[in-house]
Amino acid sequence: ICGDGLDLQGDKLLSASFSTDNALQQWDLGSGDLIQSIRYRENDNEAEYLYSCRYVDSSRVVAGGSGSRDAKIINIIYEEVEGAIYDSKPIHSVGYRDGLVAAGGVGCYVHVGDFI
């Protein structure tokens, strides 16, 4: 894990790690067991390499990184991408509040979007 790659919700921990695959994972805090690996990449030719993640609600997360140079909102129940912010440079930080997603990184600016 590097950067802002941890978030808590209830008895669950969301982690984003700088790895090729299985970089976005949800864990049970009580047992320490892996609940699920959440597929981030949309095709098998790209690596994940995530820096940051946040819970949006109990069924969605937002994460971003340098593999595909984007931030995505993912429905973790259906494992579907519901929205994305694409950039030409790595995304180092993501945030969510009141229906707005923010993502920023090496590009020296912050993207803000209403995806929910």
Side-chain angles (χ1 to χ4, degrees):
I1 294 178
C2 60
D4 196 19
L6 295 173
D7 196 22
L8 298 170
Q9 185 178 71
D11 61 348
K12 295 177 184 169
L13 170 81
L14 183 66
S15 66
S17 62
F18 196 78
S19 58
T20 305
D21 54 272
N22 295 322
L24 188 59
Q25 297 179 316
Q26 188 172 215
W27 303 85
D28 181 275
L29 283 175
S31 67
D33 291 337
L34 177 65
I35 296 171
Q36 75 180 121
S37 289
I38 303 159
R39 185 173 171 85
Y40 186 84
R41 59 184 164 179
E42 294 183 66
N43 67 61
D44 292 331
N45 294 329
E46 60 187 30
E48 295 182 350
Y49 300 128
L50 300 180
Y51 289 108
S52 185
C53 63
R54 288 284 172 266
Y55 279 104
V56 171
D57 55 35
S58 62
S59 63
R60 293 177 290 193
V61 299
V62 59
S66 64
S68 51
R69 296 173 309 282
D70 59 19
K72 295 177 185 158
I73 295 176
I74 301 171
N75 183 308
I76 60 176
I77 295 170
Y78 299 109
E79 294 195 30
E80 294 176 345
V81 174
E82 293 186 353
I85 296 171
Y86 298 99
D87 200 332
S88 61
K89 300 194 179 192
I91 299 291
H92 286 177
S93 186
V94 296
Y96 172 81
R97 183 173 174 186
D98 299 331
L100 293 175
V101 173
V106 177
C108 297
Y109 46 85
V110 175
H111 302 275
V112 178
D114 182 0
F115 292 102
I116 307 303

